[in-house]
Amino acid sequence: MPVYKAPVDDSLFVLYDVLKMENYGNLAGFADAPRDLVEAVLNEGAKLCEEVLQPLNVVGDTVGCHRNDDGSVTTPPGFKEAYQQYREGGWLALSTDPAYGGQGLPVVLNAVIGEYLSSANLAWAMYPGLTQGAMAALHVHANDEIKRTYLPKMATGEWTGTMNLTEPHCGTDLGLLRTKAVPQADGSYKISGQKIFISAGEHDMSANIVHLVLARIEGAPAGTKGISLFVVPKFLPDAAGNAGSRNPVSCGKIEEKMGIHGNSTCVMNYDGATGWLVGQENKGLAAMFVMMNEARLSVGLQGLSQSEVAYQNAVAYARDRLQGRSLSGPKAPDKPADPIIVHPDVRRTLMTMRAINEAGRALVLWTALAADVHHRSTDAAERQKADDHLGLMTPVVKGVLTDLGFDNAVKAQQMYGGHGYINEWGMGQFVRDARITMIYEGANGIQALDLVGRKLGANGGRAVMAFFGEVGAFCAQHKDDAALGPFVAALSKGLKDLQSATMWFMQNAMAKPDNAGAGSTPYMHLFGLVALGYMWARIAKAANERIAAGSDEERMKAKLATARFFFEQMLPETAAHLARISAGADSMMALPAEMF
Ligand SMILES: Cc1cc2nc3c(=O)[nH]c(=O)nc-3n(C[C@H](O)[C@H](O)[C@H](O)COP(=O)(O)OP(=O)(O)OC[C@H]3O[C@@H](n4cnc5c(N)ncnc54)[C@H](O)[C@@H]3O)c2cc1C
């Protein structure tokens, strides 16, 4: 049976030693979150995840969700009760606006808890996760009446949320969507059409389900310019604001799928269901993007979460499993063989996972802090800088941490040899659950295109130049530092590769856009390596400071050893990515389609 321990100490190290969270005290909500409260919140969240949610992970996988003949969906045993406990703890509204019943604590804390929830039980965590995303979109774009009706109920978890974009013929290309909205005399709309793959579309955990639905108002332009966003509840709110009569929106089927069996993935049929416009007519994509961006960061976190829990189990197994002898002489001479953790190739695997997890955690929390600054700073320049950072990093966090998260789940499974392939050990579930994170919320190829095609050039390259400037300044400042110098030298080389790749696109992709498409995935990974490298350099700086202060020396030395591994063994891959990018599209576009 797999184990999981929430990495509270590491989260605190990232928040306070690396990101210096105490410096953000001017932002609303941060003064209400002194360190002792943050520690208490994280420890309490860890307890819920370790004791309640993690034991249900295998149950969710083996029992799955069941659609009943009346269209209702039963979630796996224990899911409902766990959700009740989560609601009672007030977790859903941790960082929600207090005006709508939230606690207003920093978004970054919600991200920490989000990692623990998904590590413990990814399929379960999606129910409240989607609710938080739907709340964010309503908060920014809905009118006051809709906000007053829905947000307080969602903040307590009494009602949950979903996002409805995908249709059978329309996935990445949302301009193709056909779901129709017909205006009614009272200002509402009748929504008709079919949505597929809707996560948490129907279930038995909440009293009402609030669907955010993309649809085309009759007569609206074709393509993405004619899409609007609607709020369509399963039960229409009555005069008192409670769940009233049933709206004609129903689950026609749940998908049998590879993983996340505990989450109901539904075909949703809208048969003239009543909905209300959110935001402006024909500006639905922009409104939905609030939810999509939030969800993309959460999915990046899901990738990290599966990598972390898989790593923890791989370490436990590698310490335990006796096979072969160490190349440098027996390490457990009293035993018939050494534990496999003595073998360099096993170490390479474990160090790779560890290096990604620790820097990935810092990258996610650095980005979540930018969300706090963007939403809460009173300084317009600071808000803009934070928004630039969020926009640039969203495809990197989503695409890179989910690709690497899946790779790491496979690596952890590999640690178990044949036993990793046997269900009893639970490693297969991490692989299967991690796989979806690379696909949904915009497949990773689309994240790479978003980075190269939209984010690099936005506002004259302002965001990417700021990133280059920040990393470059860190390198310049620390290049002569005896402890950090070698790390910073490697990071400077990685940064140079990234800048060269960016320049190559500027010179070669305008005239020939296939060059941008061809290099986009290597570029996203090159970017990810430099971003993780920057995190490792900052982690190493913080670790040296702690060692100098005589605090937590053993753990901090482990950080420095992992940083060294990253800079020596992983960051050099930037050169290979640059070579791929600058080779251009020709080799991959050479064959005519019929030759494949
Ligand atoms: C378990 C699960 C849960 C989901 N939950 C939700 C949900 O809650 N709400 C919701 O609305 N949707 C949901 N989805 C749908 C999901 O977001 C889509 O499957 C995903 O966005 C991709 O769309 P598609 O499947 O139609 O693939 P397609 O768009 O057909 O893409 C197929 C492949 O082609 C590539 N591709 C497509 N266009 C381009 C291009 N222009 N350039 C380069 N490559 C391209 C893609 O990267 C992909 O690899 C879910 C899906 C699953 C499986």
Side-chain angles (χ1 to χ4, degrees):
M1 204 60 142
V3 292
Y4 174 62
K5 180 146 182 32
V8 175
D9 286 347
D10 202 49
S11 306
L12 289 169
F13 171 76
V14 172
L15 290 178
Y16 291 100
D17 294 275
V18 181
L19 301 175
K20 313 279 185 205
M21 188 164 148
E22 65 276 11
N23 293 345
Y24 292 77
N26 60 326
L27 299 180
F30 277 62
D32 302 328
R35 183 166 178 149
D36 55 349
L37 181 120
V38 169
E39 287 191 25
V41 168
L42 299 197
N43 282 317
E44 217 29 58
K47 207 163 127 199
L48 177 79
C49 293
E50 292 163 5
E51 294 175 9
V52 179
L53 296 175
Q54 197 270 344
L56 293 175
N57 198 34
V58 171
V59 179
D61 189 49
T62 47
V63 180
C65 293
H66 175 73
R67 182 186 176 278
N68 306 301
D69 290 343
D70 62 358
S72 63
V73 169
T74 306
T75 53
F79 269 42
K80 240 164 88 170
E81 292 74 11
Y83 183 69
Q84 194 53 34
Q85 239 175 297
Y86 171 88
R87 276 189 61 195
E88 282 162 12
W91 292 105
L92 213 146
L94 198 69
S95 56
T96 303
D97 185 349
Y100 299 102
Q103 297 172 47
L105 291 173
V107 170
V108 71
L109 296 188
N110 200 47
V112 175
I113 298 293
E115 182 200 325
Y116 303 169
L117 292 170
S118 291
S119 279
N121 195 325
L122 175 55
W124 183 95
M126 289 170 68
Y127 295 95
L130 282 152
T131 307
Q132 287 177 333
M135 286 167 72
L138 291 176
H139 194 263
V140 176
H141 289 286
N143 63 32
D144 283 346
E145 194 186 339
I146 292 179
K147 283 192 208 176
R148 273 198 309 273
T149 307
Y150 292 93
L151 288 179
K153 298 275 190 200
M154 295 169 85
T156 60
E158 186 179 343
W159 295 0
T160 53
T162 71
M163 66 191 297
N164 291 238
L165 293 80
T166 309
E167 298 177 9
H169 55 282
C170 152
T172 303
D173 188 353
L174 289 168
L176 299 172
L177 82 77
R178 292 185 194 141
T179 297
K180 199 171 68 176
V182 181
Q184 305 296 298
D186 64 356
S188 68
Y189 290 79
K190 292 284 181 213
I191 312 288
S192 304
Q194 188 178 69
K195 297 286 179 180
I196 62 166
F197 298 160
I198 303 309
S199 300
E202 178 59 44
H203 57 82
D204 55 3
M205 284 163 56
S206 63
N208 201 358
I209 302 177
V210 181
H211 303 290
L212 291 197
V213 183
L214 287 181
R216 201 179 294 283
I217 297 174
E218 264 191 335
T224 52
K225 291 197 165 61
I227 297 175
S228 302
L229 179 64
F230 299 88
V231 58
V232 187
K234 173 177 167 186
F235 293 102
L236 295 166
D238 62 18
N242 295 316
S245 59
R246 188 76 159 83
N247 208 3
V249 43
S250 58
C251 166
K253 183 185 160 200
I254 56 176
E255 304 292 351
E256 294 294 324
K257 54 193 191 289
M258 175 177 171
I260 53 164
H261 293 149
N263 196 270
S264 57
T265 307
C266 302
V267 171
M268 297 302 298
N269 295 320
Y270 292 84
D271 300 311
T274 298
W276 290 270
L277 185 67
V278 175
Q280 293 175 37
E281 255 182 46
N282 299 335
K283 301 272 189 229
L285 264 191
M288 192 56 129
F289 252 106
V290 174
M291 181 165 190
M292 284 155 74
N293 281 332
E294 179 117 341
R296 284 176 179 181
L297 291 174
S298 305
V299 174
L301 206 53
Q302 291 178 354
L304 168 68
S305 76
Q306 295 310 283
S307 179
E308 171 66 30
V309 67
Y311 166 76
Q312 289 188 15
N313 285 280
V315 170
Y317 192 80
R319 281 203 189 109
D320 226 43
R321 177 70 172 167
L322 304 180
Q323 292 291 301
R325 285 294 181 194
S326 162
L327 295 172
S328 56
K331 297 292 177 290
D334 52 323
K335 300 205 170 127
D338 285 338
I340 60 172
I341 199 163
V342 304
H343 304 308
D345 191 58
V346 166
R347 290 296 187 99
R348 178 189 56 77
T349 308
L350 294 176
M351 290 301 284
T352 302
M353 291 190 259
R354 182 187 177 95
I356 291 166
N357 293 349
E358 292 182 24
R361 180 168 300 118
L363 181 63
V364 167
L365 298 186
W366 184 40
T367 307
L369 257 185
D372 275 314
V373 175
H374 173 53
H375 294 309
R376 300 176 189 214
S377 174
T378 50
D379 178 333
E382 262 189 12
R383 280 202 307 274
Q384 182 193 73
K385 195 166 164 245
D387 193 33
D388 283 353
H389 175 86
L390 265 178
L392 184 69
M393 284 300 165
T394 297
V396 177
V397 165
K398 197 285 182 180
V400 174
L401 293 186
T402 60
D403 276 357
L404 296 178
F406 175 74
D407 286 353
N408 283 351
V410 172
K411 282 187 169 71
Q413 184 185 38
Q414 189 78 7
M415 279 294 92
Y416 283 68
H419 300 278
Y421 203 68
I422 304 300
N423 286 342
E424 176 191 341
W425 290 90
M427 300 308 284
Q429 185 184 355
F430 300 135
V431 173
R432 289 183 288 102
D433 285 0
R435 185 67 183 88
I436 186 57
T437 64
M438 301 158 75
I439 298 173
Y440 60 17
E441 263 329 305
N444 283 356
I446 304 305
Q447 302 301 325
L449 284 177
D450 178 43
L451 177 65
V452 171
R454 291 180 55 223
K455 301 296 170 59
L456 284 189
N459 304 304
R462 193 173 67 203
V464 75
M465 294 313 286
F467 176 76
F468 292 165
E470 180 169 342
V471 179
F474 185 95
C475 292
Q477 197 186 346
H478 298 288
K479 71 178 176 5
D480 298 326
D481 181 311
L484 290 182
F487 297 161
V488 160
L491 179 58
S492 297
K493 162 80 178 66
L495 179 64
K496 204 158 153 273
D497 288 342
L498 181 61
Q499 287 169 320
S500 301
T502 311
M503 186 60 77
W504 192 89
F505 281 140
M506 285 170 68
Q507 291 165 347
N508 297 280
M510 298 286 195
K512 193 172 167 188
D514 273 353
N515 278 332
S520 56
T521 291
Y523 185 85
M524 181 177 76
H525 282 283
L526 167 49
F527 206 115
L529 278 170
V530 174
L532 293 173
Y534 178 46
M535 292 299 102
W536 267 119
R538 289 180 60 175
I539 291 169
K541 181 172 187 283
N544 281 320
E545 285 165 2
R546 286 278 290 267
I547 290 170
S551 149
D552 215 355
E553 202 165 313
E554 209 181 334
R555 195 161 70 93
M556 294 303 118
K557 282 188 172 157
K559 293 265 176 211
L560 295 177
T562 313
R564 184 175 165 203
F565 176 86
F566 179 85
F567 286 114
E568 288 180 5
Q569 298 289 331
M570 298 176 69
L571 193 64
E573 184 70 15
T574 57
H577 287 311
L578 174 61
R580 289 180 192 113
I581 293 161
S582 21
D586 288 352
S587 67
M588 61 195 84
M589 301 309 280
L591 296 184
E594 58 275 15
M595 287 292 289
F596 284 86

